Amino acid sequence: MTKTPTSVLKAKEVAFEKGFAHSCIDEVGQLLSVLSASVQGGVIGEIGTGYGVGTSWLISARQKDVSLITIDNDAEKIETVSEYIKGENIQVLRGDWKDLLAHGPFKLLFADGGQSKVDGADTLFESLEIRGMMILDDLTPIELWPKEWIGKKDPVRDYWLNHPKMRATEIRVSPNHAVILSVKTEK
Ligand SMILES: C[S@@+](CC[C@H](N)C(=O)[O-])C[C@H]1O[C@@H](n2cnc3c(N)ncnc32)[C@H](O)[C@@H]1O
């Protein structure tokens, strides 16, 4: 694994002090930074700022002409994050995930908050640029599913892996954590 940027260490410290255990894991953060580094112009969005760990990974590799907008509906989190994440073309917004959509279309969208990736899946699809990429984390690899999940519907995988206008894959970033990457190929 490459070195964790200082800005990410700071965000992790804040999350730790707040007792927040839902920041993205380092393996997802590394992937976010690689994807962010590949974006030229346009907008990167994040739904669910938390205490800014994912945001800091995204910013760590972003080109300056790429805007980054993150949103969270929790006022305390946004107030905290706004104090230490600032910069040109960076916006930290308080609001429901739907409020982010006015700032698209997105070249890269990390949907990591609320029910957006399930209840708002069509809306998120619409908010992507053609060739824009969605990243979704926090998936349990199927072979590690507890017995009671087996045979149940998995709306996140069903939608984002099988969308007829997207090209998608599920990748394992650690033994017990998978993510979906899904690129919009058609309107
Ligand atoms: C998994 S955490 C985000 C972690 C963050 N992306 C990171 O990598 O550090 C989910 C966040 O979504 C926020 N959230 C929950 N429902 C939301 C909604 N309807 N709109 C916006 N944010 C929401 C929560 O307050 C929480 O901070």
Side-chain angles (χ1 to χ4, degrees):
M1 210 180 251
T2 56
K3 203 165 169 251
T4 303
T6 313
S7 55
V8 174
L9 293 175
K10 160 77 184 164
K12 287 173 74 165
E13 201 179 293
V14 172
F16 179 77
E17 279 166 9
K18 296 286 182 182
F20 184 69
H22 304 289
S23 302
C24 67
I25 61 171
D26 285 345
E27 292 85 345
V28 170
Q30 297 267 355
L31 180 57
L32 288 173
S33 71
V34 169
L35 299 177
S36 172
S38 75
V39 176
Q40 292 187 308
V43 189
I44 297 176
E46 180 188 33
I47 293 173
T49 311
Y51 285 102
V53 175
T55 320
S56 298
W57 278 110
L58 287 165
I59 291 171
S60 71
R62 175 196 66 129
Q63 299 193 60
K64 289 281 178 281
D65 66 336
V66 176
S67 302
L68 183 133
I69 306 184
T70 180
I71 195 161
D72 202 293
N73 63 356
D74 182 333
E76 190 276 329
K77 289 192 182 84
I78 289 302
E79 209 173 289
T80 303
V81 171
S82 300
E83 280 170 18
Y84 78 94
I85 295 185
K86 305 172 198 274
E88 215 179 307
N89 294 333
I90 295 173
Q91 286 184 71
V92 179
L93 302 177
R94 182 194 170 191
D96 185 65
W97 67 267
K98 290 194 185 86
D99 302 333
L100 186 77
L101 304 176
H103 300 270
F106 300 102
K107 282 215 168 138
L108 176 64
L109 182 58
F110 179 32
D112 194 27
Q115 281 299 301
S116 59
K117 53 194 170 189
V118 180
D119 297 344
D122 281 335
T123 317
L124 294 186
F125 170 78
E126 291 300 331
S127 79
L128 290 173
E129 275 193 23
I130 298 283
R131 304 288 154 188
M133 185 188 292
M134 174 69 82
I135 170 165
L136 306 151
D137 72 342
D138 283 336
L139 292 153
T140 303
I142 288 170
E143 68 273 18
L144 297 182
W145 278 16
K147 275 202 191 101
E148 60 273 20
W149 290 11
I150 295 168
K152 291 211 171 134
K153 271 186 84 70
D154 182 345
V156 172
R157 283 186 172 90
D158 287 350
Y159 187 94
W160 294 103
L161 288 174
N162 299 312
H163 196 291
K165 294 181 176 176
M166 299 190 96
R167 181 60 66 94
T169 188
E170 177 173 333
I171 56 171
R172 198 70 58 89
V173 291
S174 84
N176 56 5
H177 196 121
V179 306
I180 289 175
L181 301 179
S182 195
V183 171
K184 180 171 179 173
T185 53
E186 284 176 60
K187 260 194 176 169

